[in-house]
Amino acid sequence: IAQGQARAQALGLDGANLYVANGNTEVLRPGAYDLVYASHALHHIDDLEHLFAQAAAALRPGGMLFASDYIGPSRMQYSDAHLALMNDMLARLPPEKRLDAFHGFQEKLLIERVPLEAFAQNDPSEAPRSADIIPAMRRHFDVEVMPFGMLLSYEVLLGIIRNFDPADADDNALLDRLMELDRAAERSGQADTLFANIVARPRDPNAAISVLLPGAVPDFPPVLASCPAPAVTPGTVAGIDGWLVAEAADLTIRLCHFQA
């Protein structure tokens, strides 16, 4: 919050309003917003029905919800076929590229489903209903889903990406091959879509919009931000997410600046 307020003041936007809220329960003002922006926030929401109903009602005519998020299996409970494809990709990597920073730099040999009890113990908000995001959104919005890959490579590279040198031609060639395997899995339909950009427009022509801000730290409440409305054409931006980061603050302030 302090970072966002400092950026707003630096741009002379003293009226920018950033505050903490809970996306599962927050009630948004009807017809109050022009844009809803969510960056990897929706998969942390339990009450998707409440959030999308509020967002749809809060949007003005012509408003839009834009999200970039994980929409794969809830709690990362991948199918057997998806797990097999990921482990096949992992097995193609040389041992020195499989050293896992999350597990004492031991060689990463197998990707398995995370036990459901681990989520309850460590992070209850992690993807509780990610598979329901699009169906729940479609109750209130016309939805366009644009997958952006990482069907297999997300889990494969988790904890080991630091072993790849961005300045090394061989490492880049190896990553290119992994990306091609991702694309092949997507074309074949053998793996679930995990990540996508989403454009959603309310079906009600009299509705308006709200905005979700980026973030990822567990145990922090969501963040909302709004801009002061100009006298002639009011417009605001609201954001909901796990935690406010510099990029979220910058985005909100730029939207306010554009509006002004």
Side-chain angles (χ1 to χ4, degrees), residues 43-46 75 119 123-128 218-219:
H43 75 277
H44 292 291
I45 298 293
D46 281 294
R75 301 295 197 199
F119 291 95
D123 189 0
S125 81
E126 182 57 39
D219 301 324

Side-chain angles (χ1 to χ4, degrees), residues 13-241:
L13 298 169
D14 296 333
N17 180 26
L18 286 74
Y19 61 98
V20 173
N22 185 337
N24 292 294
T25 58
E26 181 73 5
V27 176
L28 300 175
R29 187 159 43 94
Y33 301 107
D34 302 304
L35 172 67
V36 179
Y37 170 69
S39 178
H40 298 275
L42 300 178
H43 75 277
H44 292 291
I45 298 293
D46 281 294
D47 197 342
L48 294 166
E49 290 77 12
H50 170 84
L51 177 60
F52 293 142
Q54 288 294 314
L59 287 169
R60 295 192 179 101
M64 180 185 74
L65 183 155
F66 174 80
S68 184
D69 221 313
Y70 170 81
I71 59 170
S74 299
R75 301 295 197 199
M76 289 74 179
Q77 299 300 294
Y78 305 113
S79 67
D80 290 343
H82 198 125
L83 281 170
L85 287 169
M86 289 192 293
N87 281 303
D88 176 69
M89 177 183 281
L90 179 64
R92 295 168 184 256
L93 298 177
E96 66 272 15
K97 299 301 180 187
R98 296 203 297 256
L99 301 179
D100 191 345
F102 294 163
H103 296 90
F105 293 97
Q106 297 181 14
E107 188 177 349
K108 185 175 182 178
L109 297 173
L110 184 66
I111 299 169
E112 299 179 284
R113 293 186 194 91
V114 178
L116 290 174
E117 55 268 22
F119 291 95
Q121 293 170 4
N122 302 315
D123 189 0
S125 81
E126 182 57 39
R129 297 187 60 201
S130 53
D132 298 328
I133 289 173
I134 300 304
M137 189 181 290
R138 283 185 169 138
R139 296 179 184 178
H140 301 279
F141 295 88
D142 292 321
V143 180
E144 182 180 1
V145 180
M146 296 163 282
F148 58 82
M150 298 192 299
L151 286 74
L152 311 178
S153 57
Y154 168 71
E155 287 281 2
V156 169
L157 294 173
L158 202 61
I160 68 172
I161 187 63
R162 67 179 63 198
N163 300 318
F164 294 81
D165 181 355
D168 185 278
D170 290 336
D171 280 1
N172 280 301
L174 180 54
L175 288 172
D176 285 343
R177 289 197 292 274
L178 297 187
M179 297 306 106
E180 179 51 41
L181 290 173
D182 259 341
R183 290 188 287 271
E186 184 173 12
R187 290 192 298 268
S188 70
Q190 297 180 65
D192 296 316
T193 295
L194 300 189
F195 299 95
N197 290 321
I198 305 160
V199 174
R201 295 177 174 83
R203 291 202 179 95
D204 181 356
N206 296 316
I209 209 165
S210 52
V211 177
L212 302 180
L213 301 180
V217 170
D219 301 324
F220 276 68
V223 171
L224 281 146
S226 66
C227 309
V232 180
T233 55
T236 54
V237 175
I240 308 166
D241 201 358

